[in-house]
Amino acid sequence: MAAVGGMLASPVLNMVVKQIGAVIGGQITLQKDFTKDLRKMKMMLESVAAVMKDAERQSIEEREVQLWLKRLKDAMYGISDMLDEFEADTQSAARKISLKKDLLQLASACLSVCPKIKLANRMKEMREELKVITDQHKNFMLKPGTITNELKITDTRATSSVMKDEELIVGRTNDKRDIMASLSESNTGRITIFPIYGIGGIGKTILAKMVFNDAQYKDYSHVWVYVSQTFDLNKIGNSIISQLSKEESQLTERQMIHNSLVELLAGKNILIVLDDLWEDNASQLDDLKDMLKVGEQSRIVAIVTTRNEGIANKFRTIKPYKLAPLSNDSCWIIIKQKSSFDSRDDKHEVEQIGKDIAVMCGGVALAARSLGYMLKELTSDEWESVRKSNIWNVSASEYTDSVLSSLRLTYSYMPSHLKLCFAYCAIFPKGHKMVKHDLIHQWNSLGFIEETNIFSTEQLGEKYISQLLGLSFLEHSRLHNSATGVHHEDFTHLTMHDLVLDLARLVLVDEFIMADSERSNSERRSCRYALFNDCSKKLESYTDYPAKIRALRFLDCGRIELHEDAFSSAKYLRVLDLSECFIQRLPDSIGQLKQLRYLNAPRVQHHMIPNCITKLFKLIYLSLGGSSALMALPDSIGHMEGLMYLDLSGCSELEKLPESFGKLKELVHLDLSNCSNLTIVSESLQTLTKLEYLDLSYCWNIRELPGHLGSFMKLKHLNLSGCGEIEYFSRSFGNLES
């Protein structure tokens, strides 16, 4: 399939146009000439934006247009970086002036002028580069678009689980019946391993869930393990142990895992789903089979889903079940459901078009669901455009490319901001459970959420999530109810189908890097988003992050020691996610990240946070939750005036909040739960008039709250459970959530 990275050019351009507009109309003092230059640049980009739809259409088949879109996108990021840097320098200069008011006026003027000289030089370079790029587009004879074909966000609610279940079983009733019959006939030995195999997106996992929740297995203990492409026998074993014991297991020794499984599996009937198995090494598969056999007098039924027929034949005790593609009629039924076809006034006009589109889904339910939801808001002419799109002609002979073509077509109709939000999800590994509110904060930190006077960024983020759920580009995770053995939707965690993640990484292809990817230094330097999963040593080797990196995430790193200069080169970093690491201490170089908006660093092992963290003036999200050794916050934390979200939950050694805490005027969310040593909640807390969420649960030693709690006019959630003497204060807030 042709590279689709150029399809991100349009949303990045739109984001930069809005950023320029914000700078022109913002609080930054610009010289008249600079304002004039920015206005000209904005007008130039708006002219280019008008032809982007035609450019994306031509880029499907024309390599030159693809390259032009990539150059344009890189230039847009360059402009954005320039404006961010100028704003940071200006703010830094202003703070130096305010802190040293006795300096000579000349010195203050120098501090103010230096960033502007820097901007003038960068502006000249960007104007010249942009002129070359914009002149090139004239050679392609691109036509301005007269109408937009972007989806409109009209329904902000996520699809209900009842309707979702009805959609998912379309065309699979006979499959479930046959599978249940096969399992019943083989119910004789100690262990039954039953693979379901077929192409990706066809519905293997959904069918496994249908069996998993069937009443036939109501007396079984239930375990669901997502295996994925990275086969880790210890992880599989620990997952089984955790679900059966209902306690987190992180055993590292194979013998300890074996002993625990012997005890937990003994004498029980257990239904296990091993979802998305890719491992084809016979020895590894034999080890997995042996792991499942350890329980004495136990009855194990293991359902395995895999795309590979060879794996299904290697890892089985009974004949595997090949899941065939859905019929064209079934795909049409799904499209009708998702597009609200029966309520359309023009349904007779578009019916045949819809049936033709259903054929193009290739029998894949995922493709039918995403296309159906997209078609819901489109006119009959736009349905016809979908049917005739030349995206279907690109490498459609191969199955995976055929499915990706349908997903790519859906992606092309997304609003610009939603394209950015979706593509960013490429930074997460396959099968990862994304925390919904954290994801929204990351989108906001990267400038993907468009601000309005009507909705907050949190509300807009929820809307974006709902849209992606409707398109089946995101899915709710599933929670297991141990009492009923049934899985329910988890509305706080999100997952992404492997094929959808493949599309996200195609879109982000030249901007995303994994630690183990084989890219040249020049390719690494252009990356904006990174996922590192190799932290077996000091991070000295990561001091040369791609200089333009905007989001950095670490995966499964355990206990790591960050080098003092670990972040010295990442001056454009906006999102730093260390949530899966035990950090020995945050390095001083953290204070150099002037653009950082989001810092998630729970479980810091040191008793102090470096004072330089208060230089992060743009930080809006800070999570230090679980840092049990943390004894004090920097006295100057009040300098972080833009901070909106602060999580200090589980900081059990923290004794008091600094007096400057009251300067955090923008704080909306404050979590101090399980800060059991906290004895003093500063009186300045009452100045946090924008606070909506306050959690003081299990702060055993707090005896009183600030005197004027009535100043918390916007407070919607106050949790004082486990606080003994101060619990009665919650009664004075009649409309609070518990």
Side-chain angles (χ1 to χ4, degrees), residues 106-117:
L106 179 60
S108 298
C110 289
L111 284 169
S112 178
V113 167
C114 286
K116 294 178 181 177
I117 295 174

Side-chain angles (χ1 to χ4, degrees), residues 415-689:
S416 289
H417 55 270
L418 206 61
K419 288 179 179 178
L420 288 167
C421 293
F422 163 69
Y424 174 71
C425 294
I427 200 172
F428 297 100
K430 289 189 174 183
H432 183 76
K433 290 185 178 181
M434 296 171 272
V435 180
K436 181 176 70 171
H437 292 292
D438 282 359
L439 181 60
I440 291 173
H441 284 298
Q442 291 176 42
W443 286 346
N444 184 38
S445 299
L446 290 161
F448 297 164
I449 297 181
E450 298 179 346
E451 295 184 13
T452 72
N453 294 325
I454 301 174
F455 298 108
S456 67
T457 53
E458 188 79 10
Q459 290 171 321
L460 286 170
E462 291 279 0
K463 287 174 180 281
Y464 299 173
I465 294 286
S466 295
Q467 183 77 345
L468 290 170
L469 284 167
L471 291 166
S472 297
F473 275 37
L474 286 178
E475 301 172 2
H476 285 300
S477 184
R478 309 283 281 185
L479 279 176
H480 179 249
N481 186 321
S482 57
T484 64
V486 175
H487 270 64
H488 299 284
E489 285 184 333
D490 172 9
F491 291 99
T492 62
H493 290 83
L494 304 162
T495 60
M496 182 177 276
H497 192 283
D498 285 358
L499 288 176
V500 176
L501 183 61
D502 288 342
L503 176 65
R505 290 187 175 172
L506 278 173
V507 171
L508 213 63
V509 60
D510 56 344
E511 298 177 29
F512 172 70
I513 188 172
M514 295 185 70
D516 53 1
S517 64
E518 296 179 1
R519 289 201 172 195
S520 65
N521 288 334
S522 60
E523 288 177 318
R524 285 173 175 264
R525 284 195 293 271
S526 67
C527 291
R528 301 277 174 176
Y529 309 94
L531 173 64
F532 286 148
N533 54 8
D534 180 13
C535 303
S536 57
K537 57 181 180 179
K538 270 191 176 185
L539 293 186
E540 295 180 22
S541 58
Y542 295 137
T543 56
D544 59 341
Y545 294 115
K548 299 177 182 179
I549 198 80
R550 289 194 167 204
L552 178 59
R553 190 172 191 280
F554 290 89
L555 174 67
D556 291 337
C557 287
R559 297 183 180 275
I560 62 172
E561 184 176 346
L562 292 170
H563 190 269
E564 278 302 310
D565 296 326
F567 305 114
S568 57
S569 63
K571 63 179 181 179
Y572 298 115
L573 195 64
R574 288 170 171 240
V575 171
L576 177 56
D577 189 348
L578 298 163
S579 58
E580 296 194 26
C581 310
F582 286 89
I583 309 297
Q584 296 301 316
R585 63 183 297 275
L586 288 175
D588 288 338
S589 60
I590 201 89
Q592 299 178 33
L593 304 179
K594 295 181 181 180
Q595 302 302 328
L596 198 66
R597 272 86 160 167
Y598 176 101
L599 175 57
N600 193 354
R603 301 188 294 275
V604 176
Q605 306 297 295
H606 202 262
H607 66 280
M608 291 292 292
I609 299 296
N611 287 327
C612 62
I613 199 172
T614 63
K615 295 179 181 179
L616 305 179
F617 305 131
K618 291 191 175 184
L619 202 67
I620 57 178
Y621 178 104
L622 175 60
S623 176
L624 299 169
S627 301
S628 56
L630 183 62
M631 299 180 66
L633 297 173
D635 290 335
S636 56
I637 193 171
H639 291 171
M640 303 167 73
E641 297 173 0
L643 200 61
M644 298 177 65
Y645 182 107
L646 179 59
D647 182 0
L648 297 170
S649 60
C651 296
S652 53
E653 294 300 314
L654 188 66
E655 294 186 357
K656 65 178 182 177
L657 301 179
E659 287 300 318
S660 68
F661 206 84
K663 294 181 180 180
L664 302 177
K665 305 290 187 183
E666 300 299 315
L667 206 61
V668 173
H669 181 113
L670 177 58
D671 191 345
L672 296 168
S673 60
N674 292 291
C675 291
S676 53
N677 233 20
L678 193 64
T679 57
I680 302 174
V681 179
S682 172
E683 282 289 330
S684 61
L685 200 67
Q686 67 197 36
T687 65
L688 307 181
T689 55

